[in-house]
Amino acid sequence: MVVLATGLSLTPRFYSRSSIVVAASLLLSAAPSSSSPRARAAAPASGYSPWRGSISRISSHPTAMATTQASEAATEKGLPLGMDVSMVDEYASQSKLLQEFVKIPTIGNAWIFNSKTGMCCYCYLVLLNLGFLLFFSCCAENTSRAIVSVGQTDLLANKKRSFLLNSHISKNSSNSVDFQWSPFPIEMSGVSAVIPSPSGRKLLLIRNSEDDSPTKLEVWGPCQLENEIHIAQSVHGSLYVDEWFEGISWNQEETLVAYVAEEPPQPKPEFNDSGYKKAGSSEKDCKSWKGKGDWEETWGETYSKKRIPALFVVNISSGEVRAVKGIPRTLSVGQVIWAPSSSHSLVFVAWSSDNGYQKTPRKLGIKYCFNRPCALYAVPDPFMEEADKPSLNVSKGETAPTTKLTSELSSAFFPRFSPDGKYLVFISAKSAIDSGTHNATNSMHKIDWPADGKLEGLSVADVVPIVMCPQDGCFPGLYCSGILRNPWLTDGQTMILSSIWGSKEVILSVNVVSREVSRVSPQDSDYSWNVLALDKDNILAVSSSLITVPQIYYGSEVCQTGKPNQWEWQEIATPFPSPSDKISAILADHKFSILKIPISNSSNKLADGAKLPFEAIFVSWKDSATRPTIVVLHGGPHTVYPSSYSKSLAFLYSQGYNLLVVNYRGSLGFGEEALQSLPGNIGSQDVNDVLTALDFVIKKGLIDASKVAVVGGSHGGFLTTHLIGQAPGTFVAAAARNPVCNLSLMVGTTDIPEWCFVEIYGKEGKNCFSEYPSFDDLCQFHQKSPISHISKVSTPTLFLLGAQDLRVPVSNGLQYARTLKEMGVETKIIVFPEDMHGLDKPQSDFESFLNIGVWFKKHMSK
């Protein structure tokens, strides 16, 4: 079975903080572990001592010697470095199969328009690009038109290509719906973002440059490119189009677009033959050069080339761009939307950069981290007529006032106005802020928006509270990673959004007036569902499972006399290419179920919600008991592995394995008490949950206990390396993607050092966090780390590392892997020079899982 997871001085005034952290880390890493093996563990690997042996000592280990000889034989035959000669055919066959999985398209965003006349923006593009008079029927009166974005991986170009596909939607008297798809998709080559206007009659294309060239905004209208706006780097840099800071918003009149872009570069010191060139000098000198100036913090992982996201508004007719003034540089803005027209203002989210010890200036990593304090703000439209601007009691050089709307909350994001403009609704991760966990159960709130636009004295009301301990089968709380631009049904009070419910993704309806929350997606389904777009009171959704590729569905609410309304879902035929016959046969040969795993060793100290069963998804062949099994562990740790389709997991079970996907306590979707039980208990509670799930399927006779392997990334890699140390006789092989192996080393190099404190000390870790951890802190970090158990490891382990990873820097995995090699444990290391924590560049992802598949085949077939 395979398991997958994701000398120190006491007088520090003489040393830099970073040197103390690294020195202590190395000291602790060399210290022998005093912890005893679990009763179930096999004996530690023989012949190991902390002495750093020579090459000849390493080669004296039979496993290391065999590996070295295989590598040398491969080199002699002209094979790639590290290629095992005996696995060449396996490498070739698995790579061919993985390419078939990669070809399966993914479904991205969707938009639906109900305008009564005129052609939709997509039709303009079709007419202009193809030169055909097609699709006029999709623009007939009183019809709906859908645009769906489809993604496809281009391995050769190492990028993901994006296409738009159009469909006409018609309904008949029997409530069935018919989709008439356009025959050809349109590729959005070189396009960073596609933003239709509210009516669907205009389309904004964003083309960010990869060098110092201007950013281009294309405005498409009826059968023509209405305007192409070139914005120089001196005005601003690239637009933010990620899922966090991104905010590109049309006003209702469709004359202005607000967006978030990188602040223009700050002046740098300039030098010439005479030395420093003073500011204001008009002298032109071709021999001058610019220095670097002061270093500015970034938001860490994936944002290393970004500094300050700032707010701008462009007039799409004139092309004039205005920066929104009055926002302090200590605030990073995002998720901008337009307030109702009468307000003449913009609402946006802003994150403070004062996240260091005792609120000192420090930007901590924000990718995957919902625990960064943020608030909603309002600011006047910079194009507003002078007569409408509020009076300011300041001198010349006045700037527009910025109003904080959510002073009482530590977190507010994903703002959305109701269609009538009465309510401003938003999500909060205040529990994550208060506890320090990177994610937690969300709450929903609303503000009654003033019709006169006066923003003084606004109050925040609760809509959906945090669920601490859900009852069996009941709503476990809100877990929201995004909201549609228009999430409203026609009553103007009900929002439709995606959330997590245990190990499933579900679609919910939330009435912001009555505060009623209902599950819209099928309640008897273990499949995962996500909303794509709304067609008035109908829902366009995508559904999938670990054994079923994504499929589009159309949902309609059906009224029943004397009974609660039910939603009916119709599967929609699409022109997307079907998987190959081979892939289809593999998927059909599998089944999956969601298992409820009772916890072991329940303590009275645990909150009630932490005593509830957690879940694991079991993907199996019909003869599962005779096959090897892979246990899959997610990262985070406060995320979840949902039951939705995963190309990577499908490829792994296609190799003849069962999968055991464990959503240990601390995962999203099970209530706040269960989630908060993990901080302070990492490396023990989560490890025990994985072993408990493993024991559960073994005792049920579902798997062969002698053929188990483990693989995971980030915190999943933390668990992987913990498991092979704490239960060394359990796993035949292991693979770790950017694993956390040594917290005492990581704390001085990661973009999220506070995480090390919170996960070790629990909620109190927030108050302990410092860039200068004490010796006792470093001891605790080491004790809770996988490296403290490394002397007991004998499992062959594959490491996949991103050299540009700022979250878990490459040194963490390399230190652990080199130590295993030193011990004579069979170890393979692959480093992706240009990739980051997620290893999600297409070629990196492909090579990563290909090597995992071959590694497991090599060791599971023995």
Side-chain angles (χ1 to χ4, degrees):
M1 174 172 69
V2 181
V3 181
L4 168 65
T6 62
L8 181 67
S9 171
L10 298 181
T11 55
R13 64 181 180 275
F14 298 113
Y15 299 86
S16 70
R17 294 181 178 183
S18 59
S19 65
I20 293 173
V21 171
V22 173
S25 169
L26 295 174
L27 172 66
L28 291 168
S29 299
S33 171
S34 60
S35 59
S36 60
R38 293 174 55 87
R40 68 192 297 161
S46 61
Y48 170 71
S49 73
W51 173 74
R52 296 181 181 274
S54 64
I55 297 295
S56 60
R57 174 183 174 274
I58 296 175
S59 63
S60 67
H61 291 269
T63 301
M65 181 181 292
T67 303
T68 302
Q69 291 172 346
S71 179
E72 291 174 351
T75 303
E76 290 175 0
K77 293 187 177 183
L79 296 175
L81 179 66
M83 176 74 73
D84 189 329
V85 176
S86 64
M87 302 303 292
V88 171
D89 291 341
E90 188 67 35
Y91 203 83
S93 64
Q94 287 201 27
S95 64
K96 184 177 181 180
L97 179 62
L98 181 53
Q99 283 183 321
E100 291 192 46
F101 279 104
V102 170
K103 290 177 183 177
I104 299 174
T106 58
I107 300 172
N109 299 322
W111 303 268
I112 295 180
F113 304 100
N114 305 109
S115 94
K116 295 182 179 180
T117 59
M119 289 194 298
C120 68
C121 51
Y122 180 87
C123 296
Y124 308 150
L125 287 179
V126 171
L127 291 170
L128 288 167
N129 281 276
L130 299 182
F132 297 154
L133 293 178
L134 298 174
F135 318 131
F136 279 103
S137 63
C138 78
C139 302
E141 190 173 351
N142 297 320
T143 61
S144 298
R145 306 180 309 276
I147 303 174
V148 178
S149 69
V150 181
Q152 198 162 31
T153 299
D154 186 339
L155 284 173
L156 187 61
N158 198 22
K159 66 178 183 180
K160 296 176 182 177
R161 302 171 70 177
S162 180
F163 304 85
L164 294 184
L165 196 61
N166 175 67
S167 180
H168 165 63
I169 306 173
S170 59
K171 296 179 67 177
N172 57 37
S173 57
S174 61
N175 286 329
S176 65
V177 63
D178 179 56
F179 276 62
Q180 299 175 12
W181 296 94
S182 57
F184 305 104
I186 297 299
E187 182 174 10
M188 295 290 101
S189 180
V191 175
S192 304
V194 178
I195 313 295
S197 67
S199 69
R201 294 181 56 81
K202 294 181 186 294
L203 189 72
L204 176 67
L205 301 185
I206 309 297
R207 297 186 187 272
N208 283 328
S209 65
E210 297 181 358
D211 49 28
D212 293 333
S213 302
T215 296
K216 289 196 295 186
L217 309 183
E218 296 178 5
V219 182
W220 290 81
C223 297
Q224 64 178 337
L225 178 63
E226 290 189 347
N227 200 359
E228 184 175 76
I229 305 167
H230 293 238
I231 305 172
Q233 292 284 325
S234 58
V235 178
H236 63 65
S238 296
L239 272 68
Y240 282 75
V241 294
D242 62 281
E243 71 279 5
W244 202 235
F245 289 111
E246 183 268 334
I248 305 172
S249 179
W250 290 83
N251 67 349
Q252 286 300 315
E253 294 76 20
E254 301 185 357
T255 56
L256 303 173
V257 173
Y259 57 88
V260 177
E262 180 71 2
E263 180 189 73
Q266 296 296 302
K268 301 291 185 182
E270 195 167 351
F271 305 91
N272 56 23
D273 292 342
S274 301
Y276 174 61
K277 187 176 179 180
K278 293 182 179 180
S281 172
S282 59
E283 179 184 351
K284 292 184 179 181
D285 188 352
C286 63
K287 295 182 180 181
S288 65
W289 54 279
K290 289 186 177 181
K292 299 299 182 184
D294 284 4
W295 174 70
E296 285 191 276
E297 293 255 24
T298 72
W299 286 105
E301 175 70 16
T302 73
Y303 293 105
S304 62
K305 297 181 180 179
K306 301 286 190 178
R307 297 295 184 273
I308 303 289
L311 189 55
F312 299 86
V313 178
V314 60
N315 184 306
I316 64 169
S317 296
S318 66
E320 180 185 0
V321 176
R322 295 186 183 180
V324 177
K325 305 295 184 180
I327 302 174
R329 290 190 79 245
T330 56
L331 295 180
S332 293
V333 306
Q335 301 178 19
V336 61
I337 60 173
W338 290 88
S341 299
S342 59
S343 300
H344 299 290
S345 61
L346 299 161
V347 171
F348 61 91
V349 182
W351 291 263
S352 171
S353 59
D354 296 336
N355 292 309
Y357 178 66
Q358 294 184 345
K359 301 297 182 182
T360 53
R362 171 72 152 95
K363 288 180 180 176
L364 296 170
I366 202 168
K367 181 74 172 180
Y368 316 118
C369 297
F370 286 76
N371 61 329
R372 306 298 175 229
C374 57
L376 298 186
Y377 293 81
V379 67
D381 167 16
F383 282 92
M384 185 168 51
E385 295 295 331
E386 291 295 329
D388 295 327
K389 289 186 178 179
S391 59
L392 300 173
N393 297 319
V394 292
S395 59
K396 187 177 180 181
E398 64 188 24
T399 58
T402 301
T403 304
K404 190 173 185 179
L405 304 175
T406 55
S407 299
E408 299 174 0
L409 286 175
S410 56
S411 171
F413 52 90
F414 296 155
R416 297 292 185 271
F417 278 99
S418 59
D420 58 10
K422 290 183 178 180
Y423 309 114
L424 173 60
V425 181
F426 60 93
I427 302 296
S428 175
K430 59 183 180 180
S431 182
I433 304 291
D434 296 341
S435 65
T437 57
H438 283 166
N439 207 343
T441 312
N442 298 148
S443 54
M444 180 182 284
H445 308 268
K446 69 175 181 178
I447 295 172
D448 290 337
W449 195 255
D452 58 7
K454 295 181 179 179
L455 304 180
E456 296 84 6
L458 300 181
S459 60
V460 176
D462 296 340
V463 176
V464 180
I466 296 171
V467 176
M468 301 302 293
C469 179
Q471 299 299 311
D472 187 32
C474 295
F475 176 57
L478 193 60
Y479 302 90
C480 190
S481 60
I483 298 180
L484 297 178
R485 293 179 185 273
N486 178 21
W488 301 93
L489 298 183
T490 57
D491 64 2
Q493 300 178 353
T494 303
M495 299 181 75
I496 302 296
L497 49 83
S498 301
S499 184
I500 298 169
W501 192 307
S503 298
K504 301 180 289 289
E505 294 167 314
V506 299
I507 301 174
L508 302 176
S509 70
V510 180
N511 188 302
V512 300
V513 177
S514 68
R515 304 178 184 179
E516 179 183 357
V517 179
S518 302
R519 181 170 166 179
V520 170
S521 51
Q523 300 196 21
D524 57 352
S525 172
D526 284 338
Y527 282 39
S528 281
W529 292 72
N530 277 284
V531 59
L532 292 175
L534 300 184
D535 184 9
K536 296 182 180 177
D537 286 332
N538 305 301
I539 301 174
L540 189 67
V542 60
S543 176
S544 69
S545 77
L546 285 170
I547 61 171
T548 311
V549 298
Q551 175 61 50
I552 291 180
Y553 285 81
Y554 191 86
S556 302
E557 192 173 20
V558 178
C559 299
Q560 302 183 70
T561 305
K563 296 181 181 180
N565 292 350
Q566 298 291 323
W567 284 82
E568 290 186 353
W569 295 92
Q570 178 180 336
E571 184 174 338
I572 303 302
T574 66
F576 306 149
S578 300
S580 66
D581 292 343
K582 185 174 183 178
I583 298 297
S584 298
I586 290 171
L587 298 177
D589 279 342
H590 286 79
K591 60 182 179 179
F592 84 100
S593 59
I594 298 177
L595 309 175
K596 290 192 177 294
I597 314 293
I599 67 169
S600 61
N601 302 321
S602 177
S603 167
N604 291 330
K605 295 180 180 179
L606 289 175
D608 290 342
K611 298 176 183 178
L612 298 175
F614 60 96
E615 291 182 352
I617 309 173
F618 185 54
V619 183
S620 60
W621 293 77
K622 295 174 182 177
D623 55 346
S624 67
T626 64
R627 291 181 178 265
T629 301
I630 301 177
V631 180
V632 182
L633 305 176
H634 64 72
H638 308 298
T639 57
V640 67
Y641 239 131
S643 62
S644 55
Y645 178 77
S646 163
K647 162 188 62 66
S648 302
L649 297 190
F651 167 69
L652 290 181
Y653 67 65
S654 73
Q655 302 303 309
Y657 307 124
N658 305 312
L659 298 185
L660 182 65
V661 184
V662 183
N663 286 319
Y664 47 86
R665 283 173 293 167
S667 303
L668 302 179
F670 298 91
E672 188 65 6
E673 288 181 348
L675 185 146
Q676 293 294 345
S677 69
L678 183 56
N681 295 305
I682 62 163
S684 53
Q685 177 178 295
D686 44 6
V687 169
N688 286 332
D689 281 355
V690 175
L691 294 173
T692 298
L694 189 52
D695 287 341
F696 183 88
V697 292
I698 291 173
K699 290 176 181 178
K700 293 283 187 181
L702 299 175
I703 66 169
D704 181 349
S706 68
K707 298 178 181 178
V708 180
V710 56
V711 56
S714 192
H715 190 83
F718 171 87
L719 290 175
T720 296
T721 47
H722 252 305
L723 285 160
I724 60 177
Q726 293 194 40
T730 305
F731 307 103
V732 176
R737 289 162 50 95
N738 286 327
V740 178
C741 299
N742 185 356
L743 288 164
S744 59
L745 176 62
M746 177 178 166
V747 70
T749 56
T750 179
D751 65 337
I752 53 167
E754 92 295 345
W755 177 87
C756 300
F757 288 84
V758 171
E759 295 300 308
I760 297 301
Y761 297 116
K763 186 176 181 179
E764 293 305 313
K766 279 189 62 181
N767 303 321
C768 303
F769 164 52
S770 169
E771 303 287 351
Y772 191 175
S774 68
F775 182 78
D776 288 342
D777 290 332
L778 294 173
C779 289
Q780 287 291 319
F781 295 155
H782 183 270
Q783 184 181 351
K784 292 276 191 175
S785 296
I787 204 164
S788 67
H789 300 279
I790 198 169
S791 65
K792 297 172 284 182
V793 175
S794 59
T795 304
T797 306
L798 167 67
F799 291 86
L800 303 139
L801 310 173
Q804 305 303 316
D805 188 350
L806 300 180
R807 183 60 42 90
V808 185
V810 68
S811 56
N812 233 257
L814 284 178
Q815 182 193 38
Y816 190 96
R818 285 166 171 162
T819 306
L820 289 184
K821 283 192 170 186
E822 182 179 291
M823 293 163 51
V825 176
E826 185 177 356
T827 306
K828 184 179 178 68
I829 306 169
I830 299 177
V831 176
F832 300 94
E834 304 301 324
D835 223 325
M836 295 175 279
H837 189 59
L839 296 181
D840 51 8
K841 290 183 181 294
Q843 292 177 1
S844 302
D845 179 72
F846 180 88
E847 189 176 356
S848 172
F849 278 94
L850 172 59
N851 277 277
I852 291 172
V854 173
W855 185 258
F856 286 160
K857 184 69 72 172
K858 175 182 177 180
H859 294 285
M860 300 284 277
S861 301
K862 294 179 179 179

